[in-house]
Every structure is written in C-alpha cells, then in structure tokens.
Amino acid sequence: MILEALIGFTFLAALATFLSPDEYAGRVGFGLSLLPVVGSLYMWSAFDATGNALLSGGSLAFETQIDWLTVGGYTLQWFVGLDGISLPLIVLSTVLTSLAILSAWTPIDERQSQFYGLMLFMEANLLGVFAALDFFVWFVFWEAVLVPMYFLIGVWGGPRREYAAIKFFVYTNVASLIMFIGFMALVFNLPVDSFGLPAIAQALRGGELSGFLGMGAGTLATVAFAAMFFGFAVKVPVVPVHTWLPDAHVEAPTPASVMLAGVLLKMGTYALLRFNFTMLPDVAATLAVPIAAIAVLSVIYGAMLALAQQDLKRIVAYSSVSSMGYVILGLVAYTEFGIGGATFQMVAHGLISGLMFMAVGVIYNVTHTRMLGDMGGMADRMPVTAGIFVAGAFGYMGLPLMAGFAAEFFIFQGAFASTVLPAAPLFTAAAMFGIVIVAGYLLWAMQRTLFGPFRLETDYEVTRAKFHDTAPLAVLLLCTIALGVAPEAFFGMITDAVVPLLGGGA
Amino acid sequence: MATLVSGLVALGPAVLLAATGLLLLIINAVYPTEDRPTLLAAVSTVGSLAALGAAGALLTGAAGVLSGPEDSVALYGEALVVDGMSLFFAAVFASVTALVVVASYDYLADDPHRAEFYSLTLFAATGMALMASANSLAVAFVALELASLPSYALVSFLKGNRGSVEAGLKYFLIGALSSAVFVFGISLVYAATGSLLLPDVAAALTEADEGLAGVAAIGILMIAGGFAFKTASVPFHFWAPEAYEGAPAPISGFLSSASKAAGFALAFRVFVVGFPLAGGDVVASVDWVLLFQILAVVTMTLGNFAAATQETVKRMLAYSSIGHAGYALIGLAAWTGSAGGDVMGAAMAHLLVYGFMNTGAFLFVALAEHWEIGRTFEDYAGLGTRAPMASVAMSVFMFSLAGLPPFGGFFSKYFLFAAAVGAGYWWLAAVGAVNSALSLFYYSRVVKALWFDDPETEFELGATPTALYAAVLFAAVATLLLLPGFGPVIETAQAAAAALIP
C-alpha cells in the first residue's frame, strides 16, 4: 500500500498547500514535498528487483490490484506496481519536484499557494503515471498532468503565456486522443477482459490480435502502433511535432520548465517503451528504419536549432529535443543496452535539464534578461552559479563521470549492436555527430554569457544568488555526478526489467 | 390497504417531493407575513434529500419493495411502474433539486415569494419523478405537464426582469405547442392500437393491420417531437437558450439537467417499452432508431458549434446543454435490443454525472450574478484570485463537461461511446468524440478567463453567499467523487436499462 500512500499523501499535500496563506505557501509546499522524497527513496532501498518485470508473469514490486468496476465485459482495476523502469522515474519525479519548489521561492511572487499547490498536484499525477498498470488509471493520471501545467504556464508565464499554454494543451490533448483511439482499437480486438497492461502486452505478444472492419491483424497492429507512436511522440517531443515545446518552455516560469523538461517529456518516452515497444515489438522492428530516422533527425535538427538561438532558455529547450532523440534511438535499437540506456537517459536528462533550466532561471532572476547578446562576464558576479552552470553543461555534453556520459555511452553501445535496426552503425554514427553540435552550442553560449568582460547595462545591482536559489542546483549536480560515477545505482534494476522484454513472444 | 401502503412506499421519492411542496405551502399559510427563509430552505432541502434517500433505499432493495434494479412494481392498473430506471432518475432529480434549493437560499435573499419558488421547484420535481415512472401515455402526458407548468412560472420568476418574463413567455408558448403535438401523437397511437398502456400498445402494434400503420407512424413521430422539446433537442431547441438565459440561474441549472433528464427518462421508457423495434409490420415502418441517430448527430453538432460562438457564459452553457442532449440521445440512437441495455444505461449514468456538473456550472453563474460582475467571458476575468475555491469548482465543471479525465464527465462519456461501439455504431461514437474534443475550446475559455486574465476594472466582490458557495463546492466534490463510485452507478444503470427490454 505504500504506493497508494505516496500518491494519496501528495494529493493531500497539494490541497493543504493550496489552502495555506501565500506567505507560508513556499515553505509549506517544500516541507510537504519532502515526505514523498523520503517515501520514494525508501521504495528504492526496499526494492526487490528479482522477478518484477512486466512480462514475466510475476508480481511487480509494491503491487496492488483491486477490481474497480466492470463495464461491457471489461474489468477496470486499481492496478499499480513498480518495476526497474518505473522506479527510477518515480525517484526522479519526487526529487525534482522538491527542488523545483525550492527554486520557485525567488521568482514566484504572486498567488504562491496556488502555484505550489499545482506543483504538488502535478507531482501526485506524475507518480500515478509511472505507477499505474491499468490503462484507465494510467490515462486518468496521464491527462491530469496536463491541467496543472496548463495553469502553471498560463498564469505565471511570460508575456505570451496564454498562447503557449493553449498551444501546449491543444497539442498534447489531441495527441492523447489519437493515442487513446489507437490503444482502444487494440484492446477491443483482443480476447482479454481487462485493461491491465501486463495482460494486454502478453496477449499482443502471443499473437492474439484479430482484425477489425476488414483490416487484418497485422494492418490493425501497424495502424494502432502509428496512432500510439504519434500520441507519445508529441509528448517527447520529436521533430517535426516539437513546435509546442520551445513556446511552452520560454513562456513557462522556471520551476514549471524544470518539471516540463525534467519529468513531463519522460512521460512520452516511458509510454513509448511501455506501450509501443513492449506490446508491439514486431511492428517496431518493421518500422525500425523510419523511427531511427526520426530519432537521428531529432538529435541533429534539435541541436542545430539550439545553435541558432539567441535566448539562453530557448537553447536549453531545443537541446531537450536533441537529447530525447537519443532516447528514441536507444528504444528502437531494442537491445539490453539500448533500452536500458534509454531509460537511464530519461533519468540523466531529467537531472541535467532540470539543472540547466534552474541555472538559467537563477541568472534571469538577477539579470532580468536571457539574451546572449546582453550578457557577458557573469562568472565574476555570480561565481557559484556560473560554476554549476559550467558543470551542468559538461554533463550535457557527456563528460565522463557525469550521468549524461553513462547514458549516452549505453545508448550508443546498444544502438551500435542492434540486430533489429538495419544499418545500425550508420544511424549510431550520425547520432553521435550530434554530440559535437551540442558541445558547440553549449561552449558558445557559456563563453558569451559567463566569461569575458562584464557588460550588462542595468540600473540595478547584479549580485550573487541567494542560498535557496543555488542549493537545488548543487543537489542536482551532486546527483548527476553520483549517477555518473555509479550508474549501477539504477542501471542494474533497469536491465532486470528490460531483459525479459527482449525475449520475443510472452 | 396493503397494496396502497406498498404502492406509497414504492412511489416514495415522488410522494416525498410532493409532500414537501405541500408542506411549504402550509408553512407559508401559517406564517403569511413573517419571513422564514431558513425554515423554507431547510424543509425543501430535507425533503429532497429524503426523496434521494428513499430512491436509494428502494434501488438497493433495502426498503423491501424491490429486490434490485432489475425488479419492478406495477401500480394503479399498471399506469405507473416503479423499477430501477425510474428510481435511478428519481435519484438524479432529487439530488439536483437539493442542490438548486440550497443554492436558491442566497439567490432569493430579497424576494418576497420565496415559499412559492421552493414549492414550485418541488412540484416540478414531483412531475419529473412521475415522468420516469409513467407506464401509460396518459400518465406520461399528465406528468409532463406537472413538470412543465411550474417550470414556466419558475423561468419568469424574476418579475421585474424583462429577460426573465420574456423567457418564460417563450418557454410557455413553445411548451404549449409541443404539448399539443405530443397529445395529438398520443391520440393517433391510441387510434391505431386502442390502448394507452405501453405494454398493451406494444402488443397491439405487432398485431395491428397494415391500414393503421400510417396513423401509428405519424403518432410516434409526433410523440418524438414532444420529447425533442422537453430534452431541448434539435429541431425543437430554439426555446432553450432564451429560457436558460432569462431564467434565474439556479432554475437554468434545474431545467437543463433535471428537466432534460426527465425528458430522457420518459423517452427511454416510451420508445423501448411502447414501440419495440422487434415486432410486426407497423413498427417496422417507423425506424425510430434511425430518427434518433439523425437527431443525436445534428443535436450534438449544432449545440457545440453554437456554443462556441457565444459571448455570455450563461448562453454558452445553454447551447452546450443542447450538445449534451445529443450525447444522451445516443442512448436511443444506438438501441439494438441486445446491446441496448448497455448503451441506455451508459446514457443514464451520463445524465447523472451531468446533473452534478451542469447544475454546478449554472450555480457558479448564479454566484457571479449574485456578485453582479457581468455576463460575458471577459467579466469573469480574475475571479480565480478573488474566489479561488469556487473557481476551482467551476474549472472542475468545465473540464468535466468537456470530458477530460479524471473527472466524472470523462468516464460517463467514455462508457457511452464505448457502449455505442459495442452496439456496432462506431460512427456515432466517433461523431461524439470529435464533438467532445471541439467542446474543450469553449469550455476552456471560461477557465482561461477565471485564472489567466486580469480584470479590466478593479471591483470588490460582495459578501460570500454561504449556501450558494456550499452548493457549488458540493457539486464539484460530487463530480470528482463519482469517479471511485462509478462502478455501482453504471452497473445499476445498465441493469435497470436491460430490465426494460421486453
């Protein structure tokens, strides 16, 4: 019941924070958010990795399965549980939420109780997304994440916040609808009587799908795969459906950007892994070349777009498109290191992109600008922030002993050895070229903002950031380094969950 | 005597509603000059909650008259029937009535005719409860009029307000016309079958000779027209936006959810029991399923598109309520006999959820009218900071009406569409889903105004009306809490609907 307790407590914490007075809301929200952190760390320590894979037929860790209601012959269940793929993302969600709340203390100066309440509400739903194993429960949490983010962008965002919020909402909601229809087309033509993901995955892998409306089972599987892939690809996002992302990021307040890049994008790749690649590996294999092409295009094009930006936050935003492209590449490789590395990259990118967005936020708090052309020599005025920014950028570039390096190394190793993907070395080499561009734009951005003579023209004092602004950065940096030094902390449990997926039929 | 007692027990919800209405008139007669707002509101609330409790007790078999939603009791020469469906709808009417009377306490703060307002509301609810029980076309007509006549008065209750009076007049004229059409249809069906009791009508229709097929068919069409009026379906929907906009906002909520649900209750029973599709030549010549398919598609599409172009929130809600009538019509439009129980049960569950979310939305409009902050979307700007809890509730209603998870509206719509797919009408479900996605556009305009926009002029909200605020919050909590409790709701509804199939 610990998963239920965790999710339930976070909802109550959200309500309590929403009702608390504005001047205390930040501290109340931060304090309450620490308990989920403790809970998720406890689950990590108590996690039993043996026999917990989705497909092995065994029970998952912390599993609960209670019948909820039966409609039209289908049983809906409250069905949650964790395996080695979801647990790291749960830990990431709780830690990042706490730090994002801390980083909001300085920039958020109106309607605090609502802001922190929404952050915790979003956290509760994110935990639900990663824990749920019944499609309905999962979909409810999945859609419910949109609502707080819509408000976070629309109320506390920048000048074009309404446009960005509505664009975000419409894009991801339409994508969800298409994905929903694709998934339902599968379930209605399977001889299963529940929406439990393990049962559906096993039935699909067992070849029990029948045709519909004159379509053969193979065609239906391909169409459903495409519908689900589109739905999740918008969330990831991959080129060419990424255009909502820069708008949302630039307008969103820093803590919302942190959550958006850190956790929300992972929902897309997590769902791709859970649905498309777990349930329909054969279709994924036949479509491997186009998917890998999309992945490489996202890596290269996202990095090129980042190179062309003048706004520091936009650079970090576009770099997410690039980094998430690596995740898709790892998934489509369909090897132990490929999928494991993709999962690891989800966590690593969550930490590093959170770190980068927070660093940009701290710089913006003191300079009130994000334009590269306006800044220079910030390292003299705020050495700690600058130091962390540089360290984070190195993590992004894949400096060894940082989480980003481990993740990219796993992915490239897995992708290179892929037997599913034709011409795998070629795709891998093309994606690796992305690292060069990443290094290019990050070094260029750092050189123009942090170093050189100080040339910011302001009529106010540019001083060091406050302690509670830099503390979350430091924590994230420590996590990044820890995971880079000891990737085994997560990678072992990830591979335990990944290996059974590779076994073909159930 | 024993039959009378068990009959009264079985009709408990309707009897309690009627008795409460009468009690209110007596209280008003005993204290003619004194103003007793709290007493009147309390009596109305207790009465409607008692009716809700009675419906629940009967439905679960706790009262010992029925053993469950599949069971039924016929009363008064089978002119009235109490079964799972009638009790389910009685529960919907009673809960909406309770919400509306609580909310009206503040809305009517300065009105001298409070007692009349409450008793009219309860009499209308009595008529609705009887509509759900009517097993004879004559009772159906009388019950329809009992529900309609108080509604006309309630719409024009704000005597000093021209909009309200005009709305009442329009509602009355079109209502009278459609009643005439309805009763004329009944007379034609009677001419063709020689009976008014629904089961007898069904039997006679399968045996009647070809010569009367045309008469019966025209009669059935005219009866369908009467329902289209009561449920505000195209093409008899023109009165709805006018009446809902002009009426006092709690009454708009009452009409657009309870009254509409009553129309569906009556339509479900009359068409499924009275004019079953499986049968002889006469009914086969009137394919009412096709008729309702056309009505459903046109109603939901027209309602949604019209709602998207409105400038005032109340009018938008009025048109969106027409759109929701289109969704509920799927209950009849996807009727196939075998899978029909699932579809109709899902439509009933949707009407229950709708009762909370739509009434709640209109009560929020009532709150805004109480604060006198204007009617357009722009006038709602900035309410999020001034009245956060009520605005959260309104956001819940809007997202739920749009069919977004995790709110009740998502589940009821999903089950409705899934049941339509299960019955083989996947294109109906597709039209519904597309409409639902479109509706997010205009519902989110309200949410955007509440939370994103800054008000153009500084203004102070008046004192918070406690009862109204409580009703809004309660409706929001119910919209959310229906989610974990949705299993029993939809199972009861589907069992009750399946029991109707002859």
Side-chain angles (χ1 to χ4, degrees):
Chain A
M1 295 302 284
I2 181 164
L3 262 176
E4 287 80 2
L6 192 67
I7 297 170
F9 173 82
T10 316
F11 273 121
L12 291 179
L15 187 66
T17 311
F18 189 83
L19 294 174
S20 65
D22 269 356
E23 62 255 55
Y24 303 115
R27 272 162 277 179
V28 170
F30 178 68
L32 289 174
S33 77
L34 289 178
L35 203 86
V37 174
V38 174
S40 68
L41 292 179
Y42 165 75
M43 285 196 288
W44 186 7
S45 70
F47 184 69
D48 172 17
T50 51
N52 65 0
L54 195 67
L55 285 174
S56 67
S59 75
L60 286 96
F62 315 109
E63 187 182 86
T64 315
Q65 194 172 3
I66 302 168
D67 280 2
W68 177 21
L69 55 111
T70 305
V71 180
Y74 287 91
T75 305
L76 272 62
Q77 297 166 323
W78 170 257
F79 186 12
V80 293
L82 297 183
D83 66 0
I85 294 170
S86 41
L87 180 68
L89 292 168
I90 294 257
V91 177
L92 174 73
S93 305
T94 58
V95 171
L96 213 53
T97 308
S98 281
L99 297 175
I101 287 176
L102 198 56
S103 79
W105 283 11
T106 303
I108 301 301
D109 51 7
E110 52 166 5
R111 305 200 212 174
Q112 281 96 335
S113 57
Q114 293 170 15
F115 183 89
Y116 296 108
L118 284 171
M119 290 288 281
L120 285 163
F121 180 70
M122 184 157 69
E123 178 186 11
N125 287 304
L126 286 168
L127 296 177
V129 166
F130 295 127
L133 292 170
D134 180 276
F135 178 75
F136 257 87
V137 176
W138 176 85
F139 189 72
V140 165
F141 284 126
W142 170 272
E143 287 287 283
V145 169
L146 295 185
V147 175
M149 186 48 88
Y150 170 68
F151 286 119
L152 287 174
I153 298 174
V155 176
W156 291 272
R160 289 167 70 240
R161 56 183 181 268
E162 281 175 26
Y163 168 79
I166 290 170
K167 189 172 177 182
F168 161 78
F169 202 67
V170 170
Y171 253 76
T172 48
N173 199 45
V174 169
S176 294
L177 186 70
I178 293 170
M179 176 274 296
F180 188 86
I181 293 169
F183 184 79
M184 283 295 148
L186 286 180
V187 177
F188 281 144
N189 295 294
L190 276 178
V192 291
D193 58 357
S194 81
F195 290 101
L197 300 185
I200 291 168
Q202 275 161 21
L204 280 171
R205 287 189 151 218
E208 294 173 31
L209 188 69
S210 57
F212 177 66
L213 284 180
M215 270 191 272
T219 319
L220 178 64
T222 311
V223 171
F225 185 95
M228 295 196 297
F229 189 88
F230 175 78
F232 299 137
V234 169
K235 198 82 143 194
V236 171
V238 298
V239 177
V241 284
H242 65 285
T243 58
W244 63 269
L245 181 94
D247 285 312
H249 266 315
V250 170
E251 300 306 323
T254 300
S257 289
V258 169
M259 295 305 289
L260 188 59
V263 193
L264 261 67
L265 304 188
K266 276 72 199 173
M267 288 165 61
T269 46
Y270 170 81
L272 272 177
L273 174 53
R274 270 276 190 268
F275 289 83
N276 289 55
F277 289 96
T278 300
M279 293 180 179
L280 297 165
D282 300 339
V283 183
T286 53
L287 295 176
V289 171
I291 295 174
I294 290 173
V296 172
L297 181 68
S298 293
V299 169
I300 304 289
Y301 187 67
M304 304 273 268
L305 284 174
L307 195 59
Q309 300 307 314
Q310 291 297 319
D311 180 333
L312 201 52
K313 203 169 179 185
R314 265 182 188 269
I315 294 178
V316 183
Y318 276 113
S319 75
S320 290
V321 178
S322 176
S323 294
M324 296 309 282
Y326 290 128
V327 179
I328 309 280
L329 182 69
L331 291 178
V332 77
Y334 220 70
T335 54
E336 182 183 335
F337 276 104
I339 296 182
T343 311
F344 197 83
Q345 167 79 337
M346 292 184 212
V347 179
H349 179 255
L351 294 173
I352 302 175
S353 67
L355 172 64
M356 296 299 278
F357 273 115
M358 277 187 207
V360 173
V362 171
I363 293 174
Y364 180 72
N365 287 344
V366 292
T367 61
H368 300 253
T369 179
R370 291 190 303 251
M371 290 301 159
L372 293 183
D374 296 344
M375 284 187 276
M378 296 304 298
D380 294 338
R381 301 298 177 100
M382 36 197 327
V384 179
T385 312
I388 294 174
F389 187 93
V390 171
F394 281 137
Y396 231 125
M397 290 176 222
L399 198 74
L401 294 184
M402 303 274 262
F405 171 77
E408 283 167 15
F409 175 75
F410 292 144
I411 289 174
F412 292 141
Q413 189 180 359
F416 199 81
S418 173
T419 52
V420 178
L421 178 63
L426 208 63
F427 282 111
T428 315
M432 284 168 103
F433 182 68
I435 294 183
V436 180
I437 313 178
V438 173
Y441 67 72
L442 282 175
L443 289 170
W444 188 60
M446 282 192 293
Q447 190 245 322
R448 293 184 61 180
T449 51
L450 302 178
F451 306 116
F454 183 79
R455 58 188 172 83
L456 188 68
E457 285 168 22
T458 60
D459 44 9
Y460 44 79
E461 189 80 3
V462 174
T463 52
R464 288 172 176 239
K466 291 195 184 72
F467 174 73
H468 62 72
D469 286 330
T470 40
L473 294 170
V475 174
L476 279 176
L477 184 60
L478 285 177
C479 293
T480 309
I481 294 171
L483 270 193
V485 174
E488 204 47 28
F490 279 137
F491 199 67
M493 69 171 77
I494 291 173
T495 45
D496 280 338
V498 165
V499 169
L501 297 184
L502 306 174
Chain B
M1 191 63 195
T3 14
L4 181 65
V5 170
S6 75
L8 281 179
V9 171
L11 280 177
V15 171
L16 280 169
L17 289 170
T20 312
L22 291 171
L23 182 62
L24 288 167
L25 290 182
I26 294 170
I27 293 173
N28 195 40
V30 175
Y31 300 108
T33 50
E34 274 178 87
D35 216 8
R36 299 222 160 210
T38 315
L39 178 67
L40 292 170
V43 167
S44 324
T45 313
V46 170
S48 39
L49 288 180
L52 176 62
L58 287 163
L59 201 51
T60 52
V65 179
L66 272 77
S67 58
E70 299 90 346
D71 201 9
S72 71
V73 180
L75 304 160
Y76 309 116
E78 293 190 24
L80 280 174
V81 63
V82 176
D83 61 5
M85 196 190 86
S86 71
L87 291 170
F88 186 90
F89 276 108
V92 175
F93 308 143
S95 43
V96 171
T97 308
L99 277 178
V100 167
V101 292
V102 169
S104 305
Y105 176 72
D106 297 304
Y107 198 84
L108 297 171
D110 305 319
D111 198 297
H113 302 294
R114 216 176 273 113
E116 289 81 352
F117 180 92
Y118 288 127
S119 49
L120 283 171
T121 309
L122 281 150
F123 288 139
T126 313
M128 294 171 193
L130 286 176
M131 279 165 83
S133 283
N135 200 34
S136 147
L137 289 171
V139 175
F141 181 70
V142 173
L144 182 74
E145 289 304 302
L146 177 54
S148 296
L149 290 172
S151 306
Y152 303 144
L154 285 169
V155 167
S156 45
F157 199 77
L158 306 173
K159 282 192 296 185
N161 180 326
R162 275 193 61 179
S164 177
V165 175
E166 193 184 322
L169 188 63
K170 275 182 186 162
Y171 188 31
F172 173 67
L173 288 176
I174 299 179
L177 179 71
S178 72
S179 288
V181 171
F182 184 62
V183 80
F184 194 48
I186 291 176
S187 72
L188 290 178
V189 169
Y190 182 70
T193 62
S195 177
L196 287 172
L197 289 181
L198 295 177
D200 294 354
V201 168
L205 279 175
T206 51
E207 291 159 12
D209 58 79
E210 297 255 352
L212 290 170
V215 175
I218 294 175
I220 292 173
L221 272 180
M222 292 177 98
I223 290 177
F227 293 131
F229 159 73
K230 200 67 200 163
T231 56
S233 305
V234 177
F236 297 96
H237 65 284
F238 294 105
W239 62 273
E242 309 294 333
Y244 295 167
E245 193 183 22
I251 291 305
S252 311
F254 185 62
L255 289 183
S256 69
S257 40
S259 173
K260 184 170 298 211
F264 280 109
L266 194 50
F268 287 173
R269 192 186 299 281
V270 166
F271 279 88
V272 172
V273 178
F275 314 130
L277 281 181
D281 305 319
V282 177
V283 178
S285 66
V286 190
D287 188 357
W288 52 259
V289 170
L290 179 66
L291 173 71
F292 282 114
Q293 282 166 1
I294 298 169
L295 280 187
V297 169
V298 175
T299 303
M300 65 175 95
T301 311
L302 195 141
N304 271 312
F305 276 94
T309 57
Q310 299 308 313
E311 282 309 312
T312 68
V313 177
K314 210 171 170 186
R315 217 174 159 80
M316 179 277 282
L317 284 175
Y319 274 107
S320 96
S321 137
I322 296 175
H324 276 269
Y327 302 137
L329 277 172
I330 291 179
L332 282 173
W335 178 263
T336 57
S338 57
D342 282 353
V343 188
M344 195 177 281
M348 284 163 66
H350 182 65
L351 286 169
L352 173 77
V353 176
Y354 185 70
F356 286 108
M357 60 191 182
N358 187 59
T359 314
F362 272 110
L363 293 186
F364 184 87
V365 173
L367 202 56
E369 285 182 3
H370 181 91
W371 283 325
E372 295 177 345
I373 56 170
R375 311 166 77 87
T376 64
F377 289 94
E378 288 73 29
D379 293 331
Y380 281 34
L383 272 183
T385 37
R386 287 142 204 271
M389 288 315 283
S391 299
V392 167
M394 184 63 169
S395 310
V396 167
F397 300 139
M398 291 296 109
F399 285 139
S400 182
L401 282 167
L404 219 64
F407 306 108
F410 164 72
F411 275 79
S412 58
K413 269 190 195 169
Y414 168 75
F415 289 127
L416 186 57
F417 297 156
V421 172
Y425 293 100
W426 60 267
W427 57 271
L428 260 180
V431 174
V434 168
N435 263 301
S436 222
L438 288 179
S439 69
L440 185 61
F441 164 72
Y442 57 81
Y443 288 127
S444 66
R445 276 183 77 186
V446 179
V447 177
K448 173 174 164 291
L450 288 178
W451 297 100
F452 294 4
D453 298 344
D454 293 320
E456 284 180 8
T457 50
E458 280 299 316
F459 61 91
E460 280 298 312
L461 295 182
T464 301
T466 319
L468 189 51
Y469 214 78
V472 170
L473 293 191
F474 179 79
V477 170
T479 307
L480 271 176
L481 285 194
L482 273 174
L483 190 61
F486 211 72
V489 167
I490 190 137
E491 280 158 24
T492 308
Q494 294 192 334
L500 275 191
I501 299 172

